[in-house]
Each structure stands twice: as C-alpha cells, then as structure tokens.
Amino acid sequence: MTEPLLLPAPAGPSGPAEATERILPLRRPGRWVAAVVVLVLVSQAAHGLITNPFYQWDRFAYWFLRPVVLDGLLITLQVTAYSAVLGLAGGVVIALGRLSGNAVVRSVSWAYVWLFRSVPLIVVLLFLYNLSALYPTLSLGIPFGPAFVTFDESRFATDIVVAVVGLGLSEAAYAAEIVRAGVLSVDQGQHEAAAALGLPRRHQFTRIVLPQALRSIIPSYVNQLIGLLKATSLVFYVSLLDLFGSVQSLASTYPGDVVPLLLVATVWYVILTSLVSAVQFHVERYYARGALRALPPTPLQRARAGLRDLRLRFRQETAP
C-alpha cells in the first residue's frame, strides 16, 4: 500500500501560495531492484531456451501437431474425463459411507480410502493389467454357491478400460475425502434446521447440505483434476498410447528427436493444465458469491487496474 508523502507547495514571488499540498508516492527502490533482478533472470532463461540448438525448435514445430501426437492427446482427454466422472461418483458414495451411522459400511469405506491412498497408482494399474492371469473368468452369484452369470474377463479388460478403472478407483479415494470435508464444512445448524423442517434424510442431503457443501467440494475437486490429468501419463505402462505414450514411442523410433518430443509433451500438458486452472479460477469465483464481500478480480481486471495505477502515477510524477 502506497504511503503518501505530503510536501508544501513552493511559495510564489508575491508570498506564500495557497494552502494546497502535493501528494507524492513514497519511493520504494527495493521493489524496483527486485523487479529488475527477476526480469533479468527470466530473460536469461528465455534466451537459453530460444538460442540453444539442442532444443531443436524446428523439430518441435514439426511434431507438435502431427496426427499421432493428436491421437494420443485425444486418448489422454478421454481417460481423464471418464476417470474423473467415475472417481467423483465413487467418491460421493464412499464419503457417504464414511459418514454413515452403520459401523460396517463406515469401516469398509475407511478401509477403501486407506488402501488406495497407500498403494501407488502405477501398482494399481499394473495389477489390473495382469488381473486376467489371476481371474481368467468373473462370475456373479452366491458366495461359495452357484454362479448365475459368468463372463470372460479378458474380453472386457481392454487397455482403455484398465486405465479408466485403475485411475477411477484411485481417484475415488481422494474424491471421497474432498466430498467428506465439504459436507463436514456445512454448519451443524443447517443439519438441525433441515431435520426440524421434517424433510426426509435424502432430501436433507440433496436440498440443504449438498448445495452448501459444493462451495468447498467443486473448487477442490477441480484442483484434483489437474493431478489426474498428469497422472494419465502412467497409462503408458499398461500399453495405452496416450500423449506421453505416443511421444515415448516416437522417441524410441527417432532417437535424435528425444528432446523436441519431450518438449511437445511438456507444452501440451502445460496447455491442458492451464485450461483446467482457468476453469478452477472461475468455478471458485462463482462459488465465492455470498461468502466474500467482493469477488476476487479476474486477470483482465487486474491488468486494467495495473494500467490505471501506472497512468495515475505517471500523471502525478509529471504534474507541474
């Protein structure tokens, strides 16, 4: 915050000037020094990226929009979308189980969260990929009794199904904690008011508790999507050629283009995560209505405010 410095106006030839004061901003040279140092470091990094021939930017431009890379990008988006829906749906069910009054359901839900948060995602994917060796056929029926429906597991466990199920199962454990935290963030008085209205428990949750909990759930889960998007790079190890898998396969075929191909994957992941981050910002801003006195400014509003401040400061500096 700028602290004004009040200086009296100089006296004229006929005596003291009118009782006016000129407001000058307090000088802060440390800020300008820090800004110069940061700009120098950023400029050096940009210069190194642009002028270093080892990056082979011509090959980067060649590979960036190749059909094989775009096909892998499409698979990445599909796996992310399906896994996000499956993880959120499973997370809601598991969170409700953890909040249940039934001790068995609560214990099983806690064990699920504990297990999938303890096991690395790559282990889950590899285990599911080799599940057909453990269970060649799957059946539905009475435990230790006759089976009513039997089907071949290998016919359904395609590469994309294994990837979506593995990511969805792991994502559900984290989504469950996000949903549970959102429900617990609702004031206890809201639960009591919903019960006092005589609403069934299902309506209490869907009409009173959940809409208020979404203020905490949605922004946090959108943030979780960024991690899920990057985690899709692991599906390469279950023979699914997503974005990273396509780049890795091309790099083994064209060993001279390893660095530009890695840059292609890096830039695409940066673009995707930036888009998700933009969505996250607007979602958080939307659900902040009613909770904050003033909504946080958008980047465009910050830029306009910065330009106004610069113009105002320039006018103050050049004022006679």
Side-chain angles (χ1 to χ4, degrees):
M1 183 175 182
T2 302
E3 299 178 5
L5 178 62
L6 304 182
L7 296 177
S14 60
E18 297 180 358
T20 59
E21 292 181 338
R22 185 180 176 187
I23 301 177
L24 295 178
L26 183 64
R27 301 290 186 256
R28 296 183 181 273
R31 293 182 178 179
W32 293 103
V33 173
V36 170
V37 171
V38 171
L39 288 177
V40 169
L41 294 177
V42 172
S43 300
Q44 288 181 338
H47 179 267
L49 285 174
I50 296 173
T51 60
N52 192 337
F54 190 72
Y55 290 111
Q56 305 178 61
W57 291 108
D58 56 334
R59 300 300 296 169
F60 168 85
Y62 172 80
W63 289 113
F64 188 69
L65 295 176
R66 298 298 294 177
V68 63
V69 175
L70 296 181
D71 290 342
L73 177 64
L74 180 61
I75 293 177
T76 295
L77 294 176
Q78 289 177 340
V79 172
T80 302
Y82 297 152
S83 302
V85 173
L86 179 61
L88 182 59
V92 171
V93 174
I94 297 169
L96 294 178
R98 290 209 61 186
L99 297 172
S100 173
N102 189 305
V104 175
V105 175
R106 188 169 61 250
S107 300
V108 172
S109 301
W110 176 87
Y112 179 94
V113 174
W114 167 77
L115 177 63
F116 280 94
R117 289 203 304 178
S118 303
V119 179
L121 178 57
I122 184 62
V123 176
V124 175
L125 291 173
L126 292 175
F127 186 86
L128 292 176
Y129 186 69
N130 296 281
L131 189 64
S132 59
L134 297 174
Y135 302 99
T137 60
L138 298 177
S139 60
L140 295 176
I142 301 175
F144 307 103
F148 302 133
V149 180
T150 303
F151 53 90
D152 186 4
E153 188 269 341
S154 60
R155 294 177 55 188
F156 297 94
T158 61
D159 294 340
I160 192 168
V161 170
V162 170
V164 170
V165 172
L167 288 170
L169 290 176
S170 181
E171 189 72 10
Y174 295 94
E177 292 301 284
I178 293 175
V179 174
R180 186 173 70 91
V183 173
L184 293 177
S185 68
V186 179
D187 188 79
Q188 187 63 30
Q190 298 295 316
H191 297 266
E192 297 172 355
L197 292 175
L199 295 175
R201 292 186 61 87
R202 180 170 60 88
H203 289 170
Q204 292 179 24
F205 179 78
T206 57
R207 297 183 181 181
I208 305 296
V209 178
L210 184 59
Q212 299 181 66
L214 287 177
R215 181 180 298 168
S216 300
I217 293 173
I218 292 183
S220 300
Y221 189 69
V222 173
N223 186 61
Q224 183 70 20
L225 286 180
I226 296 177
L228 175 62
L229 178 63
K230 294 184 292 185
T232 56
S233 60
L234 296 176
V235 302
F236 167 70
Y237 295 98
V238 294
S239 302
L240 187 62
L241 293 181
D242 66 323
L243 175 61
F244 177 75
S246 300
V247 168
Q248 189 74 4
S249 178
L250 290 171
S252 62
T253 306
Y254 302 92
D257 291 347
V258 172
V259 172
L261 284 169
L262 290 177
L263 286 174
V264 167
T266 300
V267 171
W268 273 120
Y269 279 118
V270 168
I271 292 174
L272 294 178
T273 53
S274 299
L275 292 175
V276 177
S277 298
V279 172
Q280 177 189 2
F281 172 80
H282 289 286
V283 169
E284 290 180 351
R285 193 170 185 271
Y286 176 82
Y287 279 95
R289 298 181 306 174
L292 301 177
R293 294 182 181 273
L295 293 178
T298 63
L300 181 59
Q301 291 173 341
R302 289 197 187 101
R304 289 176 177 174
L307 290 176
R308 285 196 301 267
D309 292 341
L310 287 177
R311 286 198 296 264
L312 180 59
R313 180 170 296 182
F314 178 78
R315 291 173 182 174
Q316 292 175 347
E317 293 286 347
T318 58

